[in-house]
Amino acid sequence: MSTPESGLKTLAIRLRPDVHAQLSFVAQLRGQTINDEGLLAITAHLAQAKTDPALMTKADRAREEIERDAAVRAAAIATMFGDTPPDAGDSARAPRSRRAPKSEEKGEDPPAVD
């Protein structure tokens, strides 16, 4: 949930009573709120995550995938709205002309439709 005025998001977490009591006590000793202590913990966690090599590798792969998907979508929009002509080798070729029915191939009149 976000508050439009501040642009902040609300995060609710469930804590065991003993963990809540410890967090509350630490916050009291530091003259902080439980929210302040939570923000400190999250900030530290994110700082550590930014230096995690495995996480960095996953982030690079995710970024590459996002960029590939964006390029495909941009090309689709460009082709759809005529920004660039489609390549002759595209898989989305113009439809083939319909083959004439056998009666028309023989020079006969097509059957009447009621």
Side-chain angles (χ1 to χ4, degrees):
M1 173 191 285
S2 68
T3 53
E5 305 83 39
S6 66
L8 297 175
K9 300 281 186 176
T10 299
L11 173 66
I13 58 172
R14 292 186 175 100
L15 300 173
R16 292 187 328 259
D18 62 316
V19 173
H20 182 271
Q22 292 173 42
L23 182 59
S24 180
F25 185 61
V26 168
Q28 180 184 5
L29 291 173
R30 290 184 173 163
Q32 306 251 23
T33 65
I34 291 176
N35 189 69
D36 293 335
E37 290 297 319
L39 289 174
L40 286 172
I42 290 169
T43 302
H45 179 73
L46 291 175
Q48 183 276 328
K50 290 177 184 179
T51 62
D52 180 344
L55 193 59
M56 291 168 61
T57 299
K58 288 180 181 182
D60 287 340
R61 287 186 192 141
R63 183 182 305 114
E64 290 168 1
E65 185 176 338
I66 289 167
E67 289 170 357
R68 276 193 304 274
D69 291 347
V72 168
R73 293 179 77 178
I77 291 169
T79 301
M80 184 174 182
F81 293 104
D83 290 345
T84 58
D87 292 337
D90 278 354
S91 60
R93 295 185 180 124
R96 294 182 182 176
S97 61
R98 198 180 124 237
R99 191 171 161 183
K102 293 201 182 256
S103 61
E104 290 178 24
E105 287 177 0
K106 296 179 184 176
E108 302 171 7
D109 290 332
V113 178
D114 291 329

XYZ file of all heavy atoms in Angstrom:
852
model
N 0.853 -1.162 0.000
C 0.000 0.000 0.000
C 0.900 1.227 0.000
O 1.918 1.275 0.653
C -0.893 -0.024 1.236
C -1.698 1.243 1.404
S -2.511 1.365 2.998
C -3.830 0.224 2.791
N 0.525 2.250 -0.766
C 1.303 3.474 -0.755
C 0.409 4.630 -0.339
O -0.802 4.577 -0.457
C 1.900 3.751 -2.130
O 0.884 4.060 -3.052
N 1.045 5.639 0.172
C 0.306 6.849 0.515
C 0.650 7.887 -0.541
O 1.818 8.256 -0.688
C 0.684 7.346 1.924
O 2.103 7.474 1.992
C 0.220 6.388 2.997
N -0.338 8.335 -1.318
C -0.065 9.251 -2.423
C 0.640 10.536 -2.006
O 1.467 11.057 -2.739
C -1.449 9.557 -2.987
C -2.362 8.518 -2.462
C -1.742 7.999 -1.199
N 0.335 11.035 -0.821
C 0.936 12.293 -0.378
C 2.447 12.184 -0.229
O 3.184 13.078 -0.598
C 0.346 12.756 0.969
C -1.161 12.901 1.006
C -1.878 11.580 1.275
O -1.419 10.769 2.080
O -2.929 11.373 0.643
N 2.922 11.090 0.332
C 4.350 10.964 0.626
C 5.074 10.083 -0.382
O 6.299 10.118 -0.449
C 4.539 10.382 2.022
O 4.056 9.049 2.059
N 4.349 9.276 -1.131
C 4.983 8.344 -2.052
C 5.605 7.154 -1.349
O 6.318 6.369 -1.968
N 5.364 7.001 -0.053
C 5.922 5.886 0.707
C 5.040 4.657 0.580
O 3.834 4.753 0.412
C 6.056 6.269 2.186
C 7.002 7.416 2.507
C 6.929 7.758 3.994
C 8.421 7.066 2.103
N 5.655 3.505 0.685
C 4.946 2.228 0.683
C 4.874 1.704 2.112
O 5.770 1.931 2.911
C 5.680 1.194 -0.181
C 5.845 1.591 -1.627
C 4.587 1.356 -2.372
C 4.802 1.623 -3.847
N 3.643 1.328 -4.622
N 3.798 0.996 2.400
C 3.628 0.395 3.719
C 3.984 -1.079 3.625
O 3.555 -1.770 2.704
C 2.173 0.549 4.195
O 1.879 1.935 4.281
C 1.958 -0.112 5.548
N 4.763 -1.562 4.572
C 5.155 -2.961 4.631
C 4.770 -3.493 6.003
O 5.201 -2.963 7.032
C 6.674 -3.110 4.433
C 7.254 -4.498 4.639
C 6.731 -5.463 3.575
C 8.770 -4.431 4.603
N 3.946 -4.518 6.015
C 3.561 -5.150 7.281
C 4.263 -6.504 7.365
O 4.250 -7.277 6.409
C 2.053 -5.344 7.342
N 4.894 -6.766 8.489
C 5.534 -8.071 8.681
C 5.031 -8.680 9.984
O 4.650 -7.971 10.915
C 7.079 -7.971 8.702
C 7.563 -7.036 9.807
C 7.611 -7.497 7.362
C 9.063 -7.042 10.000
N 5.024 -9.997 10.023
C 4.602 -10.708 11.232
C 5.846 -11.140 11.992
O 6.747 -11.752 11.418
C 3.767 -11.922 10.845
C 2.445 -11.561 10.244
C 1.602 -12.819 10.007
N 0.297 -12.442 9.549
C -0.088 -12.460 8.280
N 0.735 -12.864 7.351
N -1.312 -12.102 7.947
N 5.873 -10.817 13.262
C 6.993 -11.187 14.121
C 6.501 -12.055 15.268
O 5.414 -11.840 15.795
C 7.644 -9.928 14.717
C 8.226 -8.911 13.742
C 8.674 -7.665 14.495
C 9.380 -9.512 12.978
N 7.330 -13.013 15.634
C 7.027 -13.771 16.850
C 7.079 -12.794 18.017
O 7.827 -11.805 17.983
C 8.054 -14.888 17.047
C 7.968 -15.994 16.013
C 8.909 -17.178 16.366
N 10.129 -16.809 17.062
C 11.331 -16.707 16.480
N 11.474 -16.943 15.199
N 12.389 -16.374 17.213
N 6.323 -13.039 19.050
C 6.305 -12.122 20.199
C 7.684 -11.860 20.795
O 8.001 -10.724 21.161
C 5.387 -12.817 21.201
C 4.487 -13.656 20.362
C 5.331 -14.111 19.202
N 8.534 -12.882 20.859
C 9.857 -12.673 21.450
C 10.730 -11.773 20.566
O 11.472 -10.932 21.064
C 10.558 -14.011 21.733
C 10.799 -14.830 20.478
O 9.876 -14.937 19.627
O 11.911 -15.379 20.325
N 10.620 -11.909 19.256
C 11.386 -11.056 18.341
C 10.872 -9.622 18.424
O 11.656 -8.668 18.456
C 11.319 -11.596 16.892
C 11.955 -10.632 15.904
C 11.978 -12.972 16.804
N 9.564 -9.463 18.499
C 8.985 -8.123 18.624
C 9.456 -7.457 19.920
O 9.807 -6.267 19.937
C 7.456 -8.190 18.573
C 6.810 -6.843 18.658
N 6.469 -6.259 19.855
C 6.468 -5.966 17.688
C 5.938 -5.073 19.621
N 5.919 -4.876 18.310
N 9.484 -8.213 20.977
C 9.916 -7.664 22.270
C 11.374 -7.213 22.202
O 11.728 -6.135 22.695
C 9.730 -8.695 23.377
N 12.221 -8.029 21.574
C 13.634 -7.665 21.438
C 13.797 -6.415 20.563
O 14.540 -5.491 20.917
C 14.426 -8.818 20.823
C 14.547 -10.027 21.730
C 15.192 -11.185 21.003
O 16.157 -11.003 20.266
N 14.663 -12.389 21.219
N 13.079 -6.372 19.441
C 13.161 -5.225 18.543
C 12.675 -3.957 19.233
O 13.297 -2.895 19.141
C 12.333 -5.490 17.277
C 12.350 -4.408 16.212
C 13.759 -4.123 15.717
C 11.438 -4.810 15.059
N 11.598 -4.092 19.959
C 11.046 -2.958 20.690
C 12.045 -2.451 21.731
O 12.244 -1.236 21.901
C 9.739 -3.373 21.362
O 9.186 -2.308 22.080
N 12.697 -3.374 22.431
C 13.674 -3.000 23.457
C 14.888 -2.301 22.842
O 15.355 -1.276 23.340
C 14.081 -4.244 24.256
C 14.982 -3.943 25.412
C 14.570 -3.105 26.445
C 16.251 -4.501 25.482
C 15.413 -2.829 27.523
C 17.082 -4.230 26.562
C 16.668 -3.391 27.574
N 15.392 -2.846 21.729
C 16.537 -2.228 21.041
C 16.166 -0.827 20.571
O 16.932 0.127 20.748
C 17.012 -3.105 19.854
C 17.995 -2.358 18.964
C 17.624 -4.405 20.355
N 14.981 -0.673 20.001
C 14.534 0.642 19.542
C 14.455 1.618 20.713
O 14.880 2.771 20.598
C 13.170 0.515 18.853
N 13.932 1.157 21.831
C 13.807 2.011 23.023
C 15.183 2.456 23.518
O 15.402 3.632 23.822
C 13.058 1.256 24.112
C 12.879 2.047 25.383
C 12.198 1.209 26.479
O 11.947 0.019 26.297
N 11.925 1.842 27.597
N 16.128 1.519 23.563
C 17.480 1.843 24.025
C 18.160 2.871 23.115
O 18.922 3.722 23.578
C 18.341 0.583 24.113
C 17.966 -0.413 25.212
C 18.801 -1.682 25.072
C 18.150 0.206 26.599
N 17.866 2.777 21.824
C 18.476 3.683 20.857
C 17.691 4.986 20.678
O 18.114 5.864 19.936
C 18.585 2.991 19.492
C 19.610 1.882 19.470
C 19.732 1.308 18.091
N 20.838 0.348 18.029
C 20.982 -0.538 17.067
N 20.114 -0.598 16.067
N 22.008 -1.359 17.080
N 16.552 5.075 21.334
C 15.724 6.266 21.173
C 15.093 6.340 19.789
O 14.869 7.433 19.257
N 14.814 5.182 19.223
C 14.248 5.081 17.880
C 12.872 4.427 17.955
O 12.466 3.930 19.008
C 15.152 4.208 16.989
C 16.582 4.666 16.944
C 16.928 5.274 15.599
O 16.067 5.741 14.864
N 18.205 5.281 15.300
N 12.212 4.390 16.825
C 10.948 3.649 16.732
C 11.234 2.263 16.158
O 12.315 2.023 15.590
C 9.953 4.376 15.798
O 10.477 4.368 14.461
C 9.683 5.797 16.252
N 10.273 1.388 16.315
C 10.396 0.062 15.692
C 10.530 0.226 14.177
O 11.305 -0.475 13.533
C 9.196 -0.831 16.067
C 9.260 -1.190 17.549
C 9.157 -2.084 15.205
C 8.067 -1.984 18.050
N 9.796 1.165 13.600
C 9.877 1.429 12.164
C 11.307 1.835 11.774
O 11.848 1.341 10.775
C 8.889 2.525 11.765
C 8.789 2.683 10.273
O 8.274 1.806 9.588
N 9.292 3.794 9.762
N 11.922 2.722 12.570
C 13.300 3.138 12.292
C 14.255 1.950 12.300
O 15.131 1.830 11.433
C 13.775 4.164 13.334
C 13.033 5.489 13.257
O 12.498 5.826 12.173
O 12.997 6.186 14.296
N 14.095 1.086 13.287
C 14.953 -0.103 13.382
C 14.742 -1.022 12.177
O 15.700 -1.580 11.639
C 14.688 -0.867 14.690
C 15.158 -0.145 15.927
C 16.673 0.061 15.952
O 17.431 -0.867 15.579
O 17.092 1.149 16.373
N 13.509 -1.164 11.770
C 13.220 -1.981 10.588
C 13.858 -1.410 9.333
O 14.427 -2.146 8.514
N 13.773 -0.092 9.178
C 14.390 0.556 8.016
C 15.906 0.376 8.015
O 16.514 0.141 6.962
C 14.037 2.040 7.980
C 12.583 2.352 7.635
C 12.308 3.846 7.780
C 12.256 1.883 6.233
N 16.532 0.479 9.203
C 17.973 0.244 9.298
C 18.324 -1.183 8.857
O 19.307 -1.394 8.129
C 18.460 0.492 10.726
C 18.550 1.941 11.171
C 18.849 2.027 12.669
C 19.612 2.680 10.370
N 17.542 -2.139 9.307
C 17.800 -3.541 8.958
C 17.621 -3.773 7.458
O 18.441 -4.463 6.825
C 16.872 -4.457 9.753
N 16.586 -3.208 6.899
C 16.336 -3.379 5.459
C 17.438 -2.714 4.640
O 17.938 -3.291 3.667
C 14.949 -2.834 5.089
C 13.870 -3.740 5.684
C 14.789 -2.708 3.572
C 12.465 -3.168 5.621
N 17.850 -1.517 5.042
C 18.922 -0.808 4.338
C 20.213 -1.620 4.365
O 20.904 -1.748 3.351
C 19.135 0.588 4.962
O 17.902 1.307 4.888
C 20.201 1.364 4.242
N 20.545 -2.186 5.524
C 21.748 -3.021 5.641
C 21.631 -4.270 4.774
O 22.599 -4.680 4.117
C 21.988 -3.403 7.105
N 20.466 -4.867 4.760
C 20.237 -6.066 3.953
C 20.410 -5.761 2.469
O 21.051 -6.524 1.732
C 18.837 -6.623 4.240
C 18.503 -7.837 3.450
N 19.055 -9.070 3.703
C 17.681 -8.003 2.382
C 18.581 -9.949 2.835
N 17.747 -9.323 2.024
N 19.853 -4.642 2.020
C 19.982 -4.269 0.608
C 21.431 -3.946 0.244
O 21.893 -4.296 -0.848
C 19.072 -3.081 0.293
C 17.571 -3.387 0.336
C 16.765 -2.107 0.130
C 17.195 -4.440 -0.691
N 22.158 -3.292 1.141
C 23.573 -2.991 0.893
C 24.364 -4.284 0.718
O 25.211 -4.397 -0.178
C 24.149 -2.156 2.033
N 24.075 -5.281 1.542
C 24.750 -6.582 1.427
C 24.352 -7.272 0.125
O 25.189 -7.861 -0.552
C 24.403 -7.456 2.640
C 25.093 -8.796 2.678
C 24.388 -9.875 1.855
O 23.169 -9.871 1.721
N 25.158 -10.778 1.302
N 23.092 -7.186 -0.253
C 22.613 -7.852 -1.471
C 23.292 -7.284 -2.718
O 23.565 -8.018 -3.674
C 21.092 -7.701 -1.581
N 23.588 -5.995 -2.705
C 24.220 -5.346 -3.861
C 25.632 -5.842 -4.114
O 26.164 -5.657 -5.204
C 24.242 -3.826 -3.665
C 22.874 -3.200 -3.752
C 22.944 -1.706 -3.481
C 21.569 -1.089 -3.478
N 21.610 0.356 -3.191
N 26.251 -6.477 -3.126
C 27.609 -6.993 -3.293
C 27.642 -8.517 -3.427
O 28.725 -9.092 -3.509
C 28.505 -6.565 -2.108
O 27.978 -7.132 -0.897
C 28.574 -5.057 -1.989
N 26.492 -9.151 -3.469
C 26.400 -10.612 -3.570
C 26.629 -11.021 -5.030
O 25.809 -10.700 -5.895
C 25.018 -11.071 -3.091
C 24.830 -12.574 -3.148
O 25.604 -13.281 -3.823
O 23.868 -13.054 -2.520
N 27.733 -11.725 -5.333
C 28.036 -12.083 -6.722
C 26.932 -12.905 -7.400
O 26.626 -12.678 -8.574
C 29.337 -12.891 -6.627
C 29.918 -12.557 -5.303
C 28.769 -12.195 -4.411
N 26.350 -13.852 -6.682
C 25.299 -14.681 -7.277
C 24.078 -13.831 -7.626
O 23.467 -13.998 -8.689
C 24.903 -15.811 -6.330
N 23.738 -12.916 -6.744
C 22.595 -12.045 -6.997
C 22.879 -11.087 -8.159
O 22.010 -10.813 -8.983
C 22.234 -11.270 -5.734
C 20.893 -10.565 -5.736
C 19.744 -11.546 -5.950
C 20.696 -9.813 -4.437
N 24.119 -10.607 -8.230
C 24.506 -9.725 -9.330
C 24.403 -10.447 -10.673
O 23.946 -9.866 -11.662
C 25.927 -9.188 -9.103
C 25.993 -8.217 -7.933
S 27.674 -7.809 -7.371
C 28.386 -7.079 -8.820
N 24.783 -11.703 -10.712
C 24.676 -12.498 -11.940
C 23.214 -12.652 -12.343
O 22.862 -12.487 -13.511
C 25.325 -13.884 -11.736
O 26.704 -13.702 -11.429
C 25.190 -14.748 -12.980
N 22.357 -12.952 -11.380
C 20.924 -13.077 -11.667
C 20.344 -11.756 -12.160
O 19.514 -11.726 -13.068
C 20.162 -13.553 -10.428
C 20.411 -15.001 -10.075
C 19.625 -15.388 -8.837
C 19.870 -16.826 -8.453
N 19.063 -17.225 -7.280
N 20.790 -10.657 -11.565
C 20.306 -9.339 -11.980
C 20.731 -9.036 -13.415
O 19.942 -8.494 -14.204
C 20.820 -8.263 -11.032
N 21.972 -9.390 -13.777
C 22.443 -9.173 -15.149
C 21.605 -9.975 -16.141
O 21.228 -9.472 -17.198
C 23.918 -9.560 -15.282
C 24.847 -8.555 -14.614
O 24.422 -7.402 -14.380
O 26.004 -8.941 -14.316
N 21.311 -11.226 -15.803
C 20.475 -12.057 -16.680
C 19.069 -11.480 -16.814
O 18.500 -11.459 -17.898
C 20.403 -13.486 -16.142
C 21.678 -14.245 -16.339
C 21.516 -15.703 -15.912
N 22.800 -16.349 -15.832
C 23.155 -17.216 -14.902
N 22.301 -17.567 -13.962
N 24.346 -17.756 -14.913
N 18.513 -11.014 -15.714
C 17.170 -10.427 -15.749
C 17.166 -9.168 -16.613
O 16.248 -8.957 -17.407
C 16.696 -10.104 -14.332
N 18.205 -8.344 -16.482
C 18.301 -7.119 -17.286
C 18.389 -7.462 -18.772
O 17.732 -6.841 -19.613
C 19.514 -6.299 -16.861
C 19.626 -4.979 -17.615
C 20.856 -4.158 -17.256
N 20.975 -3.898 -15.839
C 21.944 -4.382 -15.057
N 22.875 -5.166 -15.543
N 21.990 -4.083 -13.773
N 19.199 -8.464 -19.123
C 19.328 -8.877 -20.524
C 17.994 -9.365 -21.078
O 17.628 -9.046 -22.206
C 20.389 -9.978 -20.648
C 21.796 -9.476 -20.420
C 22.805 -10.607 -20.244
O 22.422 -11.794 -20.316
O 23.991 -10.289 -20.019
N 17.270 -10.139 -20.283
C 15.969 -10.633 -20.716
C 14.980 -9.481 -20.910
O 14.231 -9.447 -21.885
C 15.408 -11.639 -19.717
C 14.110 -12.266 -20.169
C 13.597 -13.333 -19.217
O 14.392 -13.891 -18.441
O 12.385 -13.606 -19.260
N 14.989 -8.534 -20.005
C 14.110 -7.369 -20.121
C 14.431 -6.596 -21.397
O 13.534 -6.177 -22.129
C 14.244 -6.469 -18.872
C 13.611 -7.149 -17.662
C 13.623 -5.092 -19.113
C 13.953 -6.495 -16.331
N 15.717 -6.414 -21.674
C 16.128 -5.681 -22.875
C 15.730 -6.423 -24.145
O 15.293 -5.807 -25.115
C 17.631 -5.410 -22.834
C 18.001 -4.369 -21.787
C 19.497 -4.250 -21.540
O 20.292 -5.006 -22.140
O 19.869 -3.377 -20.730
N 15.861 -7.766 -24.148
C 15.436 -8.556 -25.313
C 13.931 -8.417 -25.529
O 13.474 -8.196 -26.647
C 15.802 -10.034 -25.128
C 17.206 -10.387 -25.522
C 17.401 -11.900 -25.606
N 17.049 -12.601 -24.386
C 17.865 -12.797 -23.359
N 19.086 -12.342 -23.398
N 17.466 -13.447 -22.288
N 13.170 -8.565 -24.444
C 11.718 -8.443 -24.544
C 11.312 -7.058 -25.028
O 10.414 -6.920 -25.868
C 11.046 -8.728 -23.197
C 11.137 -10.184 -22.777
O 11.491 -11.039 -23.619
O 10.862 -10.471 -21.595
N 11.977 -6.030 -24.526
C 11.659 -4.661 -24.941
C 11.963 -4.464 -26.415
O 11.190 -3.804 -27.135
C 12.437 -3.658 -24.096
N 13.064 -5.026 -26.904
C 13.412 -4.893 -28.324
C 12.378 -5.583 -29.205
O 11.979 -5.046 -30.246
C 14.807 -5.472 -28.581
N 11.917 -6.753 -28.789
C 10.900 -7.470 -29.561
C 9.608 -6.667 -29.594
O 8.984 -6.508 -30.654
C 10.654 -8.882 -28.961
C 9.423 -9.529 -29.543
C 11.878 -9.761 -29.189
N 9.199 -6.131 -28.464
C 7.957 -5.343 -28.409
C 8.082 -4.059 -29.220
O 7.154 -3.658 -29.920
C 7.598 -5.043 -26.959
C 7.226 -6.325 -26.198
C 6.903 -6.048 -24.772
N 5.548 -5.472 -24.728
C 4.931 -5.144 -23.626
N 5.530 -5.296 -22.474
N 3.720 -4.644 -23.658
N 9.241 -3.399 -29.146
C 9.447 -2.171 -29.911
C 9.389 -2.460 -31.409
O 8.789 -1.696 -32.172
C 10.786 -1.528 -29.535
N 9.990 -3.568 -31.826
C 9.947 -3.942 -33.240
C 8.517 -4.249 -33.675
O 8.098 -3.885 -34.779
C 10.860 -5.140 -33.499
N 7.766 -4.909 -32.808
C 6.371 -5.229 -33.142
C 5.557 -3.957 -33.314
O 4.763 -3.830 -34.251
C 5.752 -6.107 -32.051
N 5.750 -3.003 -32.435
C 5.024 -1.730 -32.539
C 5.436 -0.985 -33.799
O 4.596 -0.462 -34.531
C 5.266 -0.869 -31.280
C 4.582 -1.514 -30.077
C 4.773 0.557 -31.492
C 4.967 -0.900 -28.745
N 6.736 -0.952 -34.067
C 7.227 -0.258 -35.256
C 6.660 -0.886 -36.521
O 6.228 -0.182 -37.441
C 8.752 -0.286 -35.282
N 6.638 -2.203 -36.577
C 6.095 -2.889 -37.740
C 4.593 -2.667 -37.851
O 4.066 -2.388 -38.926
C 6.394 -4.401 -37.650
O 7.810 -4.571 -37.579
C 5.843 -5.137 -38.840
N 3.914 -2.742 -36.736
C 2.458 -2.614 -36.733
C 1.999 -1.230 -37.178
O 1.024 -1.085 -37.897
C 1.934 -2.903 -35.326
C 0.455 -2.902 -35.208
S 0.055 -3.445 -33.529
C -1.703 -3.426 -33.620
N 2.732 -0.188 -36.763
C 2.305 1.166 -37.064
C 3.139 1.826 -38.157
O 3.090 3.033 -38.330
C 2.297 2.013 -35.787
C 1.244 1.540 -34.826
C 1.577 0.806 -33.711
C -0.102 1.791 -35.080
C 0.595 0.352 -32.840
C -1.082 1.335 -34.209
C -0.741 0.617 -33.093
N 3.916 1.021 -38.876
C 4.587 1.505 -40.064
C 5.809 2.357 -39.837
O 6.244 3.047 -40.742
N 6.395 2.319 -38.645
C 7.609 3.099 -38.422
C 8.762 2.566 -39.270
O 9.588 3.312 -39.746
C 8.015 3.072 -36.948
C 7.041 3.857 -36.078
O 6.233 4.631 -36.629
O 7.098 3.693 -34.854
N 8.808 1.244 -39.416
C 9.818 0.628 -40.264
C 9.159 -0.491 -41.037
O 8.287 -1.193 -40.530
C 10.973 0.032 -39.425
O 10.438 -0.936 -38.518
C 11.722 1.100 -38.664
N 9.561 -0.675 -42.288
C 8.969 -1.773 -43.060
C 9.459 -3.110 -42.546
O 10.605 -3.218 -42.109
C 9.459 -1.510 -44.487
C 10.691 -0.684 -44.326
C 10.524 0.090 -43.051
N 8.608 -4.135 -42.590
C 9.044 -5.462 -42.141
C 10.087 -6.011 -43.106
O 10.084 -5.694 -44.283
C 7.767 -6.301 -42.151
C 6.828 -5.568 -43.045
C 7.225 -4.122 -43.018
N 11.017 -6.807 -42.596
C 12.016 -7.452 -43.431
C 11.354 -8.468 -44.332
O 10.339 -9.075 -43.985
C 13.057 -8.170 -42.562
C 13.911 -7.193 -41.768
O 14.020 -6.024 -42.160
O 14.465 -7.639 -40.750
N 11.947 -8.702 -45.502
C 11.397 -9.679 -46.435
C 11.432 -11.080 -45.847
O 10.613 -11.920 -46.181
C 12.171 -9.638 -47.749
N 12.366 -11.341 -44.949
C 12.498 -12.669 -44.363
C 11.678 -12.857 -43.108
O 11.820 -13.849 -42.427
N 10.836 -11.897 -42.750
C 10.036 -12.025 -41.538
C 9.114 -13.223 -41.618
O 8.619 -13.577 -42.680
C 9.167 -10.781 -41.298
C 9.951 -9.662 -40.629
O 11.120 -9.905 -40.263
O 9.394 -8.568 -40.495
N 8.866 -13.794 -40.456
C 7.949 -14.929 -40.399
C 6.507 -14.479 -40.583
O 5.643 -15.272 -40.913
C 8.112 -15.682 -39.078
O 7.841 -14.801 -38.007
N 6.232 -13.197 -40.365
C 4.867 -12.676 -40.522
C 4.742 -12.089 -41.921
O 4.628 -10.904 -42.124
C 4.585 -11.621 -39.464
N 4.800 -12.957 -42.917
C 4.709 -12.528 -44.306
C 3.277 -12.202 -44.674
O 2.344 -12.620 -44.022
C 5.216 -13.645 -45.215
C 6.685 -13.927 -45.021
C 7.163 -14.938 -46.027
N 8.563 -15.177 -45.803
C 9.075 -16.373 -45.569
N 8.330 -17.428 -45.555
N 10.356 -16.507 -45.374
N 3.160 -11.489 -45.776
C 1.822 -11.182 -46.287
C 1.130 -12.495 -46.647
O 1.767 -13.434 -47.121
C 1.932 -10.293 -47.514
N -0.179 -12.581 -46.433
C -0.880 -13.826 -46.747
C -0.849 -14.098 -48.236
O -0.858 -13.185 -49.054
C -2.308 -13.566 -46.252
C -2.421 -12.093 -46.107
C -1.049 -11.562 -45.918
N -0.797 -15.380 -48.567
C -0.830 -15.783 -49.975
C -2.217 -15.529 -50.540
O -3.207 -15.561 -49.828
C -0.513 -17.277 -50.102
C 0.893 -17.610 -49.700
C 1.112 -19.070 -49.919
N 2.446 -19.442 -49.489
C 2.890 -20.679 -49.493
N 2.119 -21.651 -49.897
N 4.097 -20.937 -49.099
N -2.250 -15.331 -51.844
C -3.565 -15.155 -52.464
C -4.298 -16.484 -52.432
O -3.692 -17.549 -52.529
C -3.415 -14.637 -53.893
O -2.681 -15.565 -54.657
N -5.603 -16.392 -52.304
C -6.434 -17.577 -52.230
C -6.487 -18.254 -53.581
O -6.620 -17.603 -54.605
C -7.841 -17.173 -51.772
C -8.615 -18.348 -51.267
C -9.993 -17.927 -50.832
N -10.894 -18.745 -51.601
C -11.841 -18.307 -52.397
N -12.060 -17.041 -52.511
N -12.599 -19.122 -53.076
N -6.347 -19.524 -53.573
C -6.402 -20.296 -54.814
C -7.838 -20.347 -55.295
O -8.769 -20.530 -54.511
C -5.876 -21.701 -54.536
C -5.646 -22.487 -55.765
C -4.946 -23.757 -55.431
N -5.156 -24.651 -56.536
C -4.739 -25.875 -56.598
N -4.103 -26.369 -55.581
N -4.953 -26.624 -57.639
N -8.013 -20.196 -56.588
C -9.361 -20.220 -57.167
C -9.955 -21.617 -57.047
O -9.246 -22.610 -57.174
C -9.303 -19.819 -58.634
N -11.271 -21.702 -56.803
C -11.920 -23.022 -56.757
C -11.781 -23.721 -58.099
O -11.627 -23.101 -59.135
C -13.384 -22.695 -56.457
C -13.388 -21.303 -55.938
C -12.184 -20.638 -56.506
N -11.830 -25.048 -58.060
C -11.653 -25.852 -59.265
C -12.625 -25.448 -60.373
O -12.277 -25.463 -61.532
C -11.811 -27.338 -58.941
C -10.701 -27.839 -58.058
C -10.579 -29.333 -58.163
C -9.508 -29.793 -57.231
N -8.287 -30.140 -57.846
N -13.840 -25.054 -60.026
C -14.814 -24.676 -61.050
C -14.337 -23.448 -61.817
O -14.520 -23.347 -63.024
C -16.192 -24.422 -60.440
O -16.109 -23.367 -59.506
N -13.669 -22.502 -61.124
C -13.172 -21.303 -61.796
C -11.951 -21.625 -62.634
O -11.722 -21.016 -63.668
C -12.830 -20.218 -60.758
C -14.051 -19.636 -60.085
C -13.688 -18.607 -59.028
O -12.586 -18.024 -59.113
O -14.513 -18.394 -58.129
N -11.118 -22.606 -62.182
C -9.943 -22.991 -62.946
C -10.347 -23.569 -64.290
O -9.650 -23.426 -65.274
C -9.117 -24.026 -62.177
C -8.378 -23.442 -60.991
C -7.628 -24.503 -60.203
O -7.692 -25.699 -60.591
O -6.974 -24.147 -59.215
N -11.463 -24.262 -64.342
C -11.938 -24.899 -65.567
C -12.721 -23.931 -66.435
O -13.195 -24.301 -67.486
C -12.825 -26.107 -65.229
C -12.084 -27.209 -64.511
C -13.035 -28.337 -64.198
C -12.349 -29.418 -63.382
N -13.272 -30.476 -62.999
N -12.899 -22.705 -65.986
C -13.640 -21.740 -66.771
C -15.130 -21.791 -66.539
O -15.901 -21.145 -67.248
N -15.546 -22.558 -65.559
C -16.981 -22.664 -65.269
C -17.400 -21.522 -64.351
O -16.580 -20.946 -63.656
C -17.284 -24.006 -64.582
C -16.884 -25.230 -65.387
C -17.002 -26.504 -64.573
O -17.507 -26.461 -63.437
O -16.585 -27.549 -65.086
N -18.682 -21.221 -64.345
C -19.196 -20.219 -63.419
C -19.223 -20.820 -62.010
O -19.522 -21.997 -61.848
C -20.622 -19.802 -63.820
C -20.621 -18.998 -65.092
O -19.615 -18.333 -65.354
O -21.641 -19.030 -65.817
N -18.934 -20.000 -61.021
C -18.995 -20.496 -59.632
C -20.432 -20.827 -59.272
O -21.357 -20.273 -59.831
C -18.448 -19.353 -58.793
C -18.507 -18.143 -59.666
C -18.517 -18.603 -61.082
N -20.620 -21.757 -58.318
C -21.987 -22.127 -57.929
C -22.708 -20.905 -57.334
O -22.110 -20.055 -56.710
C -21.786 -23.215 -56.873
C -20.356 -23.186 -56.490
C -19.614 -22.468 -57.564
N -23.984 -20.833 -57.584
C -24.819 -19.733 -57.086
C -25.012 -19.885 -55.591
O -25.134 -20.985 -55.075
C -26.164 -19.722 -57.795
N -25.060 -18.740 -54.921
C -25.299 -18.721 -53.477
C -26.669 -18.130 -53.241
O -26.984 -17.068 -53.743
C -24.217 -17.862 -52.768
C -24.491 -17.813 -51.293
C -22.847 -18.396 -53.059
N -27.498 -18.853 -52.495
C -28.862 -18.364 -52.252
C -28.892 -17.384 -51.138
O -28.298 -17.350 -50.177
C -29.806 -19.531 -51.900
C -30.037 -20.418 -53.132
O -30.015 -19.895 -54.247
O -30.212 -21.634 -52.941
